[in-house]
C-alpha cells in the first residue's frame, strides 16, 4: 500500500503554470494547476503555450537588450548574433533544452512546461488550505487538457481528495469516457467546455467534431456529477444565433447544471503566439467589448437560459 502511494506521489507531469488565489475556476478561492498538452486546437485559445505536449521556449523580443549571453549558451544555433550585433532567434532550431534561460539577465527567455511530481504540486496546492476552508474553495486542474496526462491527473486528484481538498476538473470533454468514469469519485465539480453546437463547425474551430464531447456531457450529467458548462464566445466566430440557441437547448436538457458561464474572448493569446514563434490564428481580433458580453447574456436569458452569467 505504501509503495503504491509513493509511486503515485512521485509521478511526474508537465505543468506550465500554477495560479494561486484564482477566483474564476470553480467556487471560492482556488489554486489552479495548468497541465500541458491538448488534443484540440481552438482558434481563440488564450493559452497557446498549453497545446503542445512538450516544453517550449517563450521569447519576448521587446524585453531583449541584445546582450548576446544566450548565443554562447545555445548549442543548437537557435540563439544568433546578427551582423550588426543585435540578437536573433530561430524558433525552428530550438529544442527547448532551457540552457539559455538562466543566462538571460532580463528574463526575455522563459521555458514553458516544467516537470513536477504530484508531491511537488500538492505542496503548492496545500499552502492555501486556510483560504479554501474559509471560502469554500479548493484546487482546479486545467490546461491544456488535463485528461491528456491522465495518470498524473488521476494521481493529483487522488492526493487532493486524500488531503480533504475540494477538486474541480476543467475539461474540453473529448477524452475517452472510461477515463472520466474512473475519475468520478475523485472530482467534486466538472467545468465542461461547450464551444460550438454544430459538429462540423466545432471541427472547423477546434480541429475535432463534438459527438464524443456531447456524449460525455450526457454521461457525466446522468452520473449526477455537478457540472458547470463553460461557453467560450468569440465575436464573429461562434457567437451566432444558432449557437446561442444551442447553449439554451443544453441548459433546458440539463436543468440541474450547477452553472452556465460565458467565457468572453480576450486576445491575450495573440502576443503569446508570437512569443512561441507561431502565427496567431485570429490576428487583430479585439477582445469582446462590454456591450457584446451584455448582449450575449441578455440573449441567453431571453432564450430561457436563466443561469447564464459571465465568468
Ligand atoms: S532552449 Fe536550448 S535550444 Fe532553445 S534557444 Fe535556448 S539553449 Fe537553444
Ligand atoms: S540573453 Fe536575453 S537579453 Fe541577452 S540577447 Fe539573449 S534574449 Fe536578449
Amino acid at each position: 500500500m505504501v509503495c503504491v502511494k509513493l509511486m503515485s506521489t512521485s509521478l511526474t507531469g508537465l505543468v506550465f503554470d500554477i495560479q494561486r488565489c484564482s477566483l474564476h475556476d470553480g467556487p471560492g478561492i482556488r489554486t489552479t494547476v495548468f497541465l500541458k498538452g491538448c488534443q484540440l486546437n481552438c482558434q481563440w485559445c488564450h493559452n497557446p503555450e498549453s497545446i503542445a505536449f512538450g516544453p517550449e521556449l517563450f521569447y519576448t523580443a521587446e524585453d531583449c537588450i541584445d546582450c548576446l549571453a544566450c548565443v554562447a549558451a545555445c548549442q543548437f544555433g537557435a540563439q544568433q548574433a546578427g551582423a550588426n550585433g543585435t540578437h536573433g532567434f530561430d524558433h525552428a532550431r530550438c529544442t527547448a533544452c532551457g540552457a539559455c534561460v538562466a543566462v538571460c539577465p532580463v528574463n526575455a527567455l522563459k521555458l514553458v512546461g516544467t516537470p513536477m511530481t504530484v508531491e511537488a504540486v500538492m505542496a503548492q496546492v496545500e499552502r492555501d488550505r486556510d483560504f479554501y476552508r474559509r471560502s469554500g474553495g479548493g484546487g482546479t486542474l486545467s490546461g491544456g487538457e488535463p485528461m491528456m496526462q491522465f495518470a498524473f491527473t488521476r494521481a493529483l486528484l487522488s492526493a487532493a481528495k486524500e488531503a480533504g481538498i475540494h477538486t474541480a476538473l476543467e475539461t474540453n470533454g473529448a477524452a475517452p469516457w472510461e477515463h472520466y468514469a474512473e475519475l468520478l469519485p475523485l472530482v467534486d465539480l466538472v467545468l465542461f467546455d461547450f464551444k460550438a453546437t454544430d459538429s462540423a463547425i466545432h471541427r472547423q474551430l477546434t480541429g475535432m467534431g463534438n459527438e464524443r464531447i456531447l456524449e460525455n456531457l450526457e454521461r457525466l450529467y446522468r452520473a449526477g456529477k455537478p457540472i458547470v458548462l463553460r461557453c467560450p464566445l468569440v465575436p464573429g466566430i461562434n457567437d451566432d444565433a444558432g449557437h446561442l440557441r444551442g447553449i439554451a437547448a443544453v441548459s433546458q436538457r440539463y436543468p440541474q447544471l450547477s452553472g452556465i458561464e460565458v467565457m468572453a474572448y480576450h486576445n491575450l493569446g495573440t502576443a503569446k503566439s508570437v512569443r512561441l514563434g507561431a502565427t496567431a490564428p485570429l490576428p487583430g481580433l479585439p477582445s469582446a467589448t462590454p456591450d457584446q458580453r451584455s448582449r450575449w447574456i441578455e440573449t441567453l436569458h431571453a432564450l430561457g437560459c436563466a443561469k447564464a452569467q459571465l465568468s
Side-chain angles (χ1 to χ4, degrees), residues 22-231:
S22 165
L23 298 173
H24 300 286
D25 295 317
I29 296 172
R30 312 190 70 82
T31 296
T32 305
V33 179
F34 294 88
L35 304 188
K36 226 166 170 316
C38 185
Q39 72 280 59
L40 302 189
N41 196 347
C42 304
Q43 290 186 8
W44 53 81
C45 184
H46 63 277
N47 285 331
E49 75 276 34
S50 72
I51 294 171
F53 290 93
E56 290 172 281
L57 192 72
F58 251 164
Y59 167 52
T60 309
E62 309 87 87
D63 292 344
C64 175
I65 56 170
D66 295 316
C67 73
L68 303 183
C70 55
V71 177
C74 181
Q75 302 173 39
F76 300 93
Q79 303 288 4
Q80 299 165 356
N84 54 0
T86 57
H87 170 250
F89 179 52
D90 183 351
H91 270 280
R93 292 188 178 204
C94 176
T95 62
C97 73
C100 58
V101 174
V103 303
C104 178
V106 291
N107 297 324
L109 301 164
K110 182 185 166 204
L111 205 57
V112 186
T114 307
M116 291 182 78
T117 61
V118 170
E119 200 173 16
V121 173
M122 284 306 297
Q124 296 221 30
V125 171
E126 296 211 38
R127 284 164 75 183
D128 288 338
R129 193 183 256 286
D130 278 354
F131 291 124
Y132 310 151
R133 190 172 43 76
R134 279 187 246 151
S135 68
T140 299
L141 268 183
S142 183
E145 170 51 53
M147 298 297 278
M148 297 305 289
Q149 297 190 46
F150 178 68
F152 186 64
T153 286
R154 182 179 52 197
L156 267 180
L157 291 169
S158 183
K161 272 273 136 229
E162 201 166 311
I165 293 172
H166 179 275
T167 57
L169 173 73
E170 181 173 23
T171 180
N172 60 31
W177 167 250
E178 297 68 36
H179 286 181
Y180 290 107
E182 200 173 326
L183 296 188
L184 283 176
L186 304 175
V187 177
D188 295 310
L189 175 69
V190 181
L191 306 171
F192 196 101
D193 293 351
F194 183 51
K195 301 167 195 282
T197 305
D198 180 85
S199 186
I201 294 175
H202 194 283
R203 182 179 298 283
Q204 185 192 327
L205 297 177
T206 71
M208 188 185 283
N210 66 6
E211 288 83 358
R212 179 193 269 185
I213 293 168
L214 296 180
E215 201 180 311
N216 284 335
L217 175 61
E218 170 87 17
R219 287 172 139 179
L220 285 167
Y221 186 82
R222 298 291 160 218
K225 200 44 48 184
I227 299 169
V228 170
L229 198 71
R230 300 192 115 184
C231 309

